[in-house]
Amino acid sequence: MKKLIISTAALALMAGMAMADGHSTVRLGTEGAYPPYNFLNDAGEVDGFERELGDELCARAELSCEWVTNEWDSIIPNLVSGNYDAIIAGMSITAERDEVIDFTDPYTQPDPSAYLAMSDSVDLDGGVIAAQSGTIQAGHVAQMGATLVEFATPEETVAAVKAGEADAVLADKSFLMPIAEAEAELMIVGEDVLLGGGIGMGVRESDNELRDKMSAAIQSMKDDGSLNALITKWLPDSATF
Amino acid sequence: MSCAQTIMDYGLRSVGIGERLLPRADFTLCQQFTLIGSGMLWNIYFGVIALAAGFFFATALAVGKASPNPLIRKPSEWFIFIFRGSPLFIQFFFGYFCFLSLKQVSPIFDPLSAAWAGALVVLFFNTSAYSAEIFYGALQSIPKGDTEAADAYGMSGWPRFKRIIWPTMLRLAWPAYTNEAIFLFHSTTLVFFSGFPAWQQRGDALYYANYFADKTFNPFVPYPILAMYFILLTLVIIGIFGIINKKLNRHLPQTARPKMKLMPQIIR
Amino acid sequence: MFTFCTDPASLPDWQWMACYLTTGKHMSLYWSVGTVLLLLAITAPTALLFGFGGASAARAGFAPLRWFGKTYIAIVRGVPDIAFFLFFVIALDQMFEYIRHRILCPDWTEAVRQGNDFVVCAAAKLPLGNAPQWVHEVYGFATAVLTFAIVFGAFAANVLYGAMRAVPSAQLETAAAYGMNQRQTFWRILVPQMWVYALPGLSNLWMVLIKATPLLFLLGVEDIVYWARELGGSKTPRFTDYPHGDWRMWYFLALLVFYLAFTKLSEVVLDRLMARLTHGQATAAGEAQRKAA
């Protein structure tokens, strides 16, 4: 019941204007389990790259925003049925997702995916590769012919490699890097894989107004370099704009 | 692609026969029906084997729980309590965890970390505990006259159990046991949903329903298809158990035969 | 929480643990235990109500009502609860919003379904777009309760239907002989007596309900399993003051103990209740009680 939500700085002045387009409060849906993009900090609040980015975007678009966490599996169905207004959850822009929802302009460069393994001699083409089900990485592994083993959460995919169940895990590099740094036996192996078209904020297709506002805010952050500063802070291995 | 072709390609996909890649775009209803149906094979596999093996273990547990010897009674009681008292969701988690550590001990345990063996063991223990409680209840309500008659005929030990107690116990427990069977098949959907990973996109019906809900972003088609399959499966189970019920009661006069009640008192 | 928690990395073990177990996230875990208990407390009577309605409908004289009752019982029981949970909450939510939309915005011309989107007018949104967060939470909780109640109501209906048929027909015939009409017989004779027959089934159902609560996170309610998974996962020092390895096993062990204890407690309470209900009833157990006294 304690859904972790924190209202951002109350932009009370703007409330009247926002009411007019039906977005008195914009609810941002995220997963809360994918550091450094989004995770729950010790206080149980949404934190990470997307938290800072989202708050800043809302301030620039003059919207008041609230954070909601939702399971990754049902994050899109809940958006289209109107339980929140935008997805900001490290979601890469892909053609199949784009058919169902709309994306804002990307706020990261296409983020490389990487393999994390226990040794650098693993066979990435014919071995057992773990991935979170429903991610673009899972789709990629299934297609390239390695043995795909799917887990419900990113946590379990890494645990599977440590337990020897899988040879390697394929996931966003920014997610894997802190793990590889913290744990001596794990390392990034092989070449990076480029999947998807960068990460964007997902909105309902009928919600052009919100999409345009957010895209404009992202553009303004790109222009004044504040987006690059955020990327350098949270995603040190990613390319900037 | 015609529907017949789809069935050829994906009808046995859940066990690894047929097309390697799942459909990725332009999903048709036929694909959804075929793949979710293909996944049902796993649900049936888990359900049938766990139920068949669990039946015998449950009988032993029930007799153990009714035993006057505390060395036999206590372990049976605890086994039943732990598996009936905790959610299957958590049992799967611990099962997977234990099997992973067992694997480090000896390669004999290798298969256990895969769903086909590991999840089967968890489901087997689970249904054994539930069935044992049902059988135990039935053992307690065996009419005194039946056992007295057996004693009078000079029966004792194994023949007395096999010919008098066990058949009566089954007769009494059957309606509730039917329900347990239905529930067991329902719980097989949890296998790939929590705990055990799906290999090479071979999963059960819920796995594929989830896949389509994920790809089409529309939960209102695949889940009702899954529901329809399960209603069919439930009807088949009720039919088969009804036939067995008739067999169990065939010696009774027509009027005294208890009708197979689909409204039993004890459900899982 | 404690004053010494400012720099956890330098603390001795027990203090570190004390700080760790009182982080905001852990508080959310403790809260979620309350959520689960509250859900059980609200769902049980609601499901019983649904069950009573379903059972009454299933034995109604009016055929369509009877069919409705029986179909409700059969369909919900035939489908795994998890499959129900995965789409039912969204369906329920959309249904409510659609009904409100038709009533509140009669002159709305755009389609409600635009491609994949489900769009209703702003006034029909549930909860309203500008509602404070707690309203959203209460609404999410309420739909979860309703979904649970619909699913478990079907099981309860099944049990109550059996119990209604188990009341000896002589009792009902006697009532008729005394000149009671159908309604009076139902409320004064059948309903008071059926509980003793229904209780074994209902207590079983209560146990099932307890064990279904780990699926709550599917309904968008952050329950104890959600927090156990979240807290137990290994944490790297970059994102937390309390880094640790994969501790999911300990958290799940705590959940296991919680569920076992709760089951045990329920068993004890239900046994007592059964003893009270049996008192003075014309059943074998009631007879035994009378003899023992």
Side-chain angles (χ1 to χ4, degrees):
Chain A
M1 169 128 146
K2 277 218 67 140
K3 255 195 191 150
L4 294 165
I5 298 188
I6 312 94
S7 303
T8 45
L11 291 152
L13 290 173
M14 294 303 148
M17 191 195 100
M19 279 290 270
D21 59 33
H23 282 303
S24 46
T25 314
V26 175
R27 290 160 58 80
L28 304 175
T30 192
E31 188 193 8
Y34 205 56
Y37 292 99
N38 56 76
F39 59 94
L40 302 180
N41 62 16
D42 289 332
E45 293 160 354
V46 177
D47 203 340
F49 170 63
E50 283 167 332
R51 173 70 208 267
E52 263 189 57
L53 175 75
D55 287 351
E56 178 63 26
L57 289 179
C58 287
R60 287 184 187 224
E62 299 178 331
L63 299 163
S64 68
C65 295
E66 270 175 357
W67 289 87
V68 187
T69 54
N70 196 88
E71 287 283 304
W72 176 256
D73 270 353
S74 59
I75 206 161
I76 290 183
N78 274 305
L79 173 76
V80 295
S81 102
N83 290 342
Y84 33 79
D85 305 303
I87 297 175
I88 173 162
M91 185 175 272
S92 297
I93 301 170
T94 64
E96 40 177 30
R97 286 179 184 144
D98 211 8
E99 275 177 23
V100 186
I101 57 175
D102 261 2
F103 284 98
T104 61
D105 292 342
Y107 51 76
T108 67
Q109 295 284 16
D111 189 38
S113 302
Y115 294 96
L116 182 79
M118 300 271 270
S119 84
D120 51 10
S121 58
V122 295
D123 175 12
L124 295 176
D125 297 322
V128 177
I129 310 291
Q132 185 184 9
S133 46
T135 56
I136 48 173
Q137 284 88 4
H140 176 72
V141 177
Q143 211 168 23
M144 75 184 189
T147 305
L148 168 67
V149 49
E150 289 168 281
F151 295 85
T153 58
E155 168 74 26
E156 285 168 291
T157 58
V158 178
V161 174
K162 283 201 264 183
E165 278 295 278
D167 297 327
V169 47
L170 181 64
D172 285 340
K173 196 171 182 182
S174 323
F175 166 71
L176 295 175
M177 279 310 285
I179 300 171
E181 282 161 19
E183 308 213 17
E185 78 257 33
L186 293 171
M187 62 192 85
I188 301 283
V189 298
E191 282 176 16
D192 293 353
V193 189
L194 275 176
L195 299 170
I199 294 172
M201 195 188 274
V203 296
R204 280 183 294 277
E205 291 199 311
S206 52
D207 210 351
N208 291 336
E209 205 169 334
L210 182 62
R211 187 196 63 199
D212 295 342
K213 270 187 189 172
M214 285 299 182
S215 286
I218 291 169
Q219 192 55 48
S220 87
M221 284 186 74
K222 281 178 184 167
D223 292 342
D224 66 11
S226 52
L227 183 57
N228 283 344
L230 269 186
I231 292 176
T232 324
K233 176 183 172 194
W234 287 101
L235 317 166
D237 303 294
S238 296
T240 53
F241 286 97
Chain B
M1 195 161 61
S2 74
C3 194
Q5 184 61 37
T6 305
I7 294 173
M8 293 276 284
D9 287 346
Y10 291 115
L12 293 172
R13 177 63 179 76
S14 63
V15 288
I17 301 170
E19 279 290 298
R20 190 175 62 83
L21 288 176
L22 295 183
R24 300 172 63 80
D26 307 326
F27 305 96
T28 62
L29 261 184
C30 176
Q31 284 171 341
Q32 307 207 15
F33 268 103
T34 311
L35 265 172
I36 295 173
S38 163
M40 287 300 287
L41 292 176
W42 278 110
N43 297 93
I44 294 169
Y45 160 83
F46 285 127
V48 167
I49 307 221
L51 203 63
F55 176 79
F56 295 101
F57 190 38
T59 310
L61 277 173
V63 174
K65 190 174 174 180
S67 156
N69 181 353
L71 279 181
I72 303 174
R73 193 177 68 237
K74 283 288 164 197
S76 313
E77 275 177 356
W78 272 100
F79 184 91
I80 294 174
F81 174 63
I82 286 180
F83 278 93
R84 286 186 78 229
S86 61
L88 183 60
F89 189 91
I90 290 177
Q91 290 168 22
F92 272 129
F93 175 85
F94 275 104
Y96 187 61
F97 222 87
C98 290
F99 297 147
L100 277 187
S101 1
L102 278 178
K103 227 174 136 174
Q104 319 274 316
V105 180
S106 153
I108 303 173
F109 297 111
D110 271 3
L112 284 178
S113 64
W116 69 267
L120 188 61
V121 170
V122 176
L123 283 168
F124 161 68
F125 284 153
N126 187 274
T127 186
S128 296
Y130 276 98
S131 316
E133 186 65 24
I134 294 170
F135 289 165
Y136 172 76
L139 275 184
Q140 298 299 300
S141 34
I142 287 180
K144 230 167 74 181
D146 284 23
T147 43
E148 278 168 1
D151 292 338
Y153 274 96
M155 280 182 172
S156 64
W158 177 245
R160 176 171 156 231
F161 178 78
K162 197 186 119 195
R163 301 189 52 184
I164 308 294
I165 296 181
W166 193 61
T168 314
M169 175 192 90
L170 279 188
R171 254 194 308 282
L172 291 173
W174 207 252
Y177 190 60
T178 309
N179 255 301
E180 163 57 23
I182 296 172
F183 269 103
L184 176 68
F185 277 95
H186 287 185
S187 13
T188 55
T189 49
L190 268 177
V191 170
F192 292 102
F193 197 78
S194 69
F196 288 84
W199 286 81
Q200 290 184 311
Q201 303 183 312
R202 296 175 199 163
D204 74 331
L206 185 67
Y207 172 86
Y208 288 116
N210 214 351
Y211 177 85
F212 283 114
D214 198 58
K215 292 289 174 212
T216 60
F217 307 102
N218 178 4
F220 298 121
V221 177
Y223 292 124
I225 293 177
L226 174 79
M228 185 214 71
Y229 274 119
F230 265 95
I231 290 175
L232 281 182
L233 182 64
T234 307
L235 291 178
V236 171
I237 298 168
I238 290 176
I240 293 175
F241 275 69
I243 293 170
I244 299 176
N245 188 52
K246 232 183 214 162
K247 273 239 149 84
L248 284 173
N249 289 303
R250 66 186 180 280
H251 61 289
L252 295 177
Q254 198 74 44
T255 47
R257 274 185 207 175
K259 274 247 184 72
M260 176 73 178
K261 271 194 254 159
L262 295 176
M263 312 287 167
Q265 294 280 305
I266 309 280
I267 64 152
R268 180 156 177 181
Chain C
M1 185 85 182
F2 303 108
T3 46
F4 52 76
C5 289
T6 43
D7 183 19
S10 62
L11 289 176
D13 280 352
W14 71 268
Q15 279 186 334
W16 187 92
M17 213 53 182
C19 293
Y20 174 67
L21 289 177
T22 50
T23 55
K25 235 177 178 178
H26 275 87
M27 288 301 162
S28 307
L29 170 70
Y30 308 142
W31 267 109
S32 66
V33 174
T35 309
V36 167
L37 295 180
L38 184 68
L39 178 111
L40 283 170
I42 301 178
T43 306
T46 320
L48 203 57
L49 210 66
F50 273 74
F52 194 75
S56 312
R59 42 174 288 136
F62 180 55
L65 193 60
R66 193 167 62 233
W67 295 330
F68 170 77
K70 292 200 163 167
T71 321
Y72 165 57
I73 297 178
I75 288 192
V76 179
R77 287 188 64 227
V79 178
D81 46 5
I82 184 172
F84 234 87
F85 292 161
L86 279 170
F87 74 97
F88 204 67
V89 169
I90 295 183
L92 214 56
D93 180 45
Q94 293 193 352
M95 188 187 80
F96 288 149
E97 289 192 345
Y98 184 71
I99 293 170
R100 280 170 58 95
H101 177 78
R102 294 308 295 253
I103 296 168
L104 295 174
C105 311
D107 41 358
W108 183 274
T109 47
E110 286 173 60
V112 169
R113 290 219 165 268
Q114 303 178 7
N116 291 290
D117 292 7
F118 179 81
V119 185
V120 293
C121 62
K125 277 245 156 247
L126 258 183
L128 290 172
N130 55 351
Q133 183 50 33
W134 68 268
V135 177
H136 284 274
E137 283 172 18
V138 169
Y139 178 70
F141 185 77
T143 44
V145 166
L146 192 57
T147 312
F148 260 70
I150 289 174
V151 171
F152 285 90
F155 291 103
N158 190 22
V159 171
L160 292 180
Y161 183 76
M164 286 177 184
R165 295 211 305 190
V167 173
S169 56
Q171 297 274 344
L172 307 181
E173 284 158 13
T174 313
Y178 273 96
M180 288 190 189
N181 63 28
Q182 235 177 358
R183 177 176 296 241
Q184 285 171 326
T185 314
F186 182 76
W187 285 108
R188 297 189 190 171
I189 307 296
L190 185 66
V191 173
Q193 289 196 56
M194 75 180 186
W195 296 111
V196 69
Y197 300 98
L199 195 68
L202 289 181
S203 43
N204 227 306
L205 192 57
W206 168 250
M207 303 289 184
V208 182
L209 182 62
I210 294 174
K211 276 165 277 165
T213 51
L215 296 180
L216 259 180
F217 73 94
L218 292 180
L219 304 181
V221 176
E222 279 158 7
D223 67 335
I224 43 184
V225 172
Y226 173 87
W227 285 112
R229 280 208 303 205
E230 170 62 36
L231 285 161
S234 52
K235 300 276 179 294
T236 50
R238 235 182 92 188
F239 308 119
T240 172
D241 291 334
Y242 304 92
H244 60 75
D246 189 351
W247 283 1
R248 280 179 301 162
M249 198 179 86
W250 302 111
Y251 283 92
F252 274 81
L253 202 61
L255 288 191
L256 185 74
V257 171
F258 167 76
Y259 277 108
L260 287 179
F262 199 40
T263 306
K264 192 80 212 169
L265 180 76
S266 306
E267 269 179 12
V268 172
V269 171
L270 287 167
D271 279 352
R272 290 216 179 142
L273 188 63
M274 187 69 195
R276 283 192 67 150
L277 271 187
T278 321
H279 193 75
Q281 288 284 346
T283 59
E287 187 69 10
Q289 250 184 15
R290 192 179 61 78
K291 278 187 184 148

